[in-house]
Each structure stands twice: as structure tokens, then as C-alpha cells.
């Protein structure tokens, strides 16, 4: 029997379309990214009204270094600003920060800021997982090497070494902006996740869009290969 989907516990989002949002308004891309951060803030505030225990956001991919230096710099500065301004709110709203990817390879001040934020939010009950300098193929290769060092390379052993090991299984993946690809995000974790590709550009994505996605998710039948 197929398992009816209940409330999604773990939702991941590929936040795409900031550049196109800005372009449509003849604004610099940096403004699009800024508005993207505001969308994140509103979404995180809405988590307490949902079934979501963990929200994972793709913020910067290992391939995003290919962008012009000034755009990369803008994104890093936005990250600095966001963590500084929103950390007190995370703490008071019981949000626990988790980070995926090679974030220790970021600028030393960012690494230090993130270490501090991880420590100060460690008692939170809902998780905000942010993928920073993240590439799923790299993550799987790292996990497989770690599994090999311990003995057998089995799916369970690999899963235990993924950056998501401490998170609930992925229920739902959403990508905004109309692109239908994974762009090296959570390839392993998507094995049985439900997927939704929506046309909304990331800065326009609201808690109401998330609520709608969760409602659609509840109507999906998950089978995991059974019947
Ligand atoms: C997503 O928006 C933000 C990041 C990838 C950091 P984009 O900057 O990719 O926006 P588009 O895809 O060019 O519209
Ligand atoms: C994926 O978006 C990365 C993030 C949202 C952080 P991209 O805009 O970088 O993906 P591609 O290049 O269109 O595949
Ligand atoms: Mg994009």
C-alpha cells in the first residue's frame, strides 16, 4: 500500500531567480539578492505555523564561485549582514542553525561568525539548514571516502557521513524561477523526495506559497517503490 504523505518535516528550497527579478525591474542584481534575503526572513518567521522541523536553503553553490567577483562579494556581504541582524531572532524563536557544504572554506570572519551562530542556536527545536559553498557530488564523494575509511561503502554508511546526517529525511524539494534542474543540490537526499518546480521568482516567494506547497504535498502519494 502506498504511504499517504503526512505533514512535511523536511523541506529544501533551491532559491532561484533573484537576478531575473532584478532585471525585470531594471535594478542591479544585488537588489534582487537583497530582496531574496527578505523572502528568507519572512519564511523562517513562518516556520512555527507549519509542520516543518527542518528547512534547508540553497544559498551558495560550489559552482557559484564562477560568477563575477563583485556578485560573489555582494552575496558574502549579504550573508554577513543576515546572520548578524537575524541571530537574536533565531535564538528567541527557537531556530537552530545548521550548515551544509564546505563552509569552512569561506572567508575567516564568516567561518568565525557561523561557528558562533551554530553554538548560540544549538538548543533550538526547529532547524534552518543553510547550504553554503555546497555541492552535492562533493558531499557524496566526501561521505563515501569517510565510509571507506571505516570499512564498507554501503548506502547507510554514506548517509551517516553526509552533511544532512543529523536532519530528518528529505520530504519535499522546491525550486523557484521555473528552472527544472537540481544544480548539484541534495542529489542523494532527493532519492524519494517529492519535487515541486514553481515559476515564482525567489524574491516573490512568500509564506503563502510555502503553505500552498505543503498543502499540495499532503495530497501526494508516496510509494517508495512499493504498491
Ligand atoms: C539565486 O538567484 C541566488 C543564487 C544563486 C545565489 P540567481 O542569482 O541565480 O538569479 P537568476 O537565476 O540569475 O535569475
Ligand atoms: C542554484 O542556482 C544555486 C543556488 C540557488 C544557490 P543557480 O542559479 O546557481 O543554478 P544554475 O546555474 O541556473 O543551474
Ligand atoms: Mg539562478
Amino acid at each position: 500500500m502506498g504511504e499517504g504523505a503526512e505533514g512535511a518535516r523536511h523541506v529544501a528550497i533551491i532559491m532561484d531567480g533573484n537576478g531575473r527579478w532584478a532585471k525585470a525591474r531594471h535594478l542591479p542584481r544585488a537588489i534582487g539578492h537583497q530582496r531574496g534575503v527578505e523572502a528568507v526572513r519572512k519564511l523562517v518567521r513562518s516556520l512555527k505555523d507549519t509542520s516543518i522541523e527542518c528547512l534547508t536553503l540553497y544559498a551558495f553553490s560550489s559552482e557559484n564561485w564562477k560568477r563575477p567577483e563583485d556578485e560573489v562579494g555582494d552575496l558574502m556581504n549579504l550573508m554577513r549582514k543576515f546572520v548578524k541582524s537575524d541571530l537574536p531572532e533565531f535564538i528567541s524563536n527557537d531556530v537552530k542553525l545548521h550548515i551544509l557544504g564546505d563552509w569552512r572554506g569561506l572567508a575567516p570572519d564568516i567561518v568565525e561568525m557561523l561557528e558562533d551562530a551554530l553554538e548560540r542556536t544549538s538548543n533550538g527545536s526547529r532547524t534552518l539548514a543553510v547550504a553554503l559553498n555546497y555541492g552535492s557530488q562533493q558531499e557524496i564523494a566526501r561521505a563515501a571516502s569517510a565510509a571507506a575509511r571505516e570499512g564498507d561503502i554501503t548506502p547507510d554508511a554514506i548517509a551517516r557521513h553526509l552533511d544532512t546526517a543529523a536532519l530528518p529525511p528529505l520530504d519535499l524539494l522546491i525550486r523557484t524561477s521555473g528552472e527544472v534542474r537540481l544544480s548539484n543540490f541534495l542529489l542523494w537526499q532527493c532519492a524519494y523526495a517529492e519535487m515541486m518546480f514553481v515559476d515564482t521568482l525567489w524574491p516573490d516567494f512568500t509564506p503563502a506559497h510555502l503553505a500552498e506547497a505543503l498543502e499540495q504535498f499532503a495530497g501526494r502519494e508516496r510509494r517508495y517503490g512499493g504498491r
Side-chain angles (χ1 to χ4, degrees), residues 43 66 151:
L43 215 60
K66 292 179 194 162

Side-chain angles (χ1 to χ4, degrees), residues 14-16 58-61 64 67 175 179 181 183:
I14 302 177
M15 311 184 287
D16 200 12
Y58 204 5
F60 193 86
S61 78
N64 286 146
R67 296 190 180 200
R175 182 171 187 146
E179 306 296 346
R181 56 177 171 265
S183 301

Side-chain angles (χ1 to χ4, degrees), residues 69-166:
E69 215 178 295
D70 61 337
E71 182 171 359
V72 171
D74 287 342
L75 288 166
M76 294 298 154
N77 283 334
L78 272 173
M79 189 119 57
R80 289 182 174 96
K81 260 177 71 180
F82 175 62
V83 175
K84 272 199 192 102
S85 61
D86 286 48
L87 183 59
E89 195 175 316
F90 291 166
I91 297 168
S92 60
N93 288 345
D94 218 20
V95 171
K96 174 184 184 148
L97 198 66
H98 182 83
I99 309 173
L100 322 179
D102 290 320
W103 60 279
R104 287 177 194 281
L106 298 174
D109 71 295
I110 295 186
V111 174
E112 199 179 312
M113 186 184 76
L114 292 174
E115 278 169 345
D116 173 63
L118 288 170
E119 197 189 307
R120 288 168 63 192
T121 60
S122 62
N123 292 322
S125 56
R126 280 179 208 268
T127 301
L128 172 65
V130 186
L132 284 177
N133 196 14
Y134 175 87
S136 183
Q137 291 181 337
Q138 297 88 321
E139 177 199 29
I140 294 168
R142 245 191 287 116
S145 303
R149 280 195 295 275
E150 286 175 1
D152 281 352
I153 308 181
T154 62
D156 282 345
I158 291 175
R160 275 197 300 275
H161 289 286
L162 293 172
D163 298 352
T164 49

Side-chain angles (χ1 to χ4, degrees), residues 29 157 195:
R29 291 181 69 89
M195 299 196 185

Side-chain angles (χ1 to χ4, degrees), residues 192-211:
Y192 273 103
E194 295 295 318
M195 299 196 185
M196 288 180 200
F197 296 90
V198 301
D199 288 335
T200 313
L201 300 174
W202 178 250
D204 291 329
F205 194 89
T206 64
H209 288 100
L210 179 65

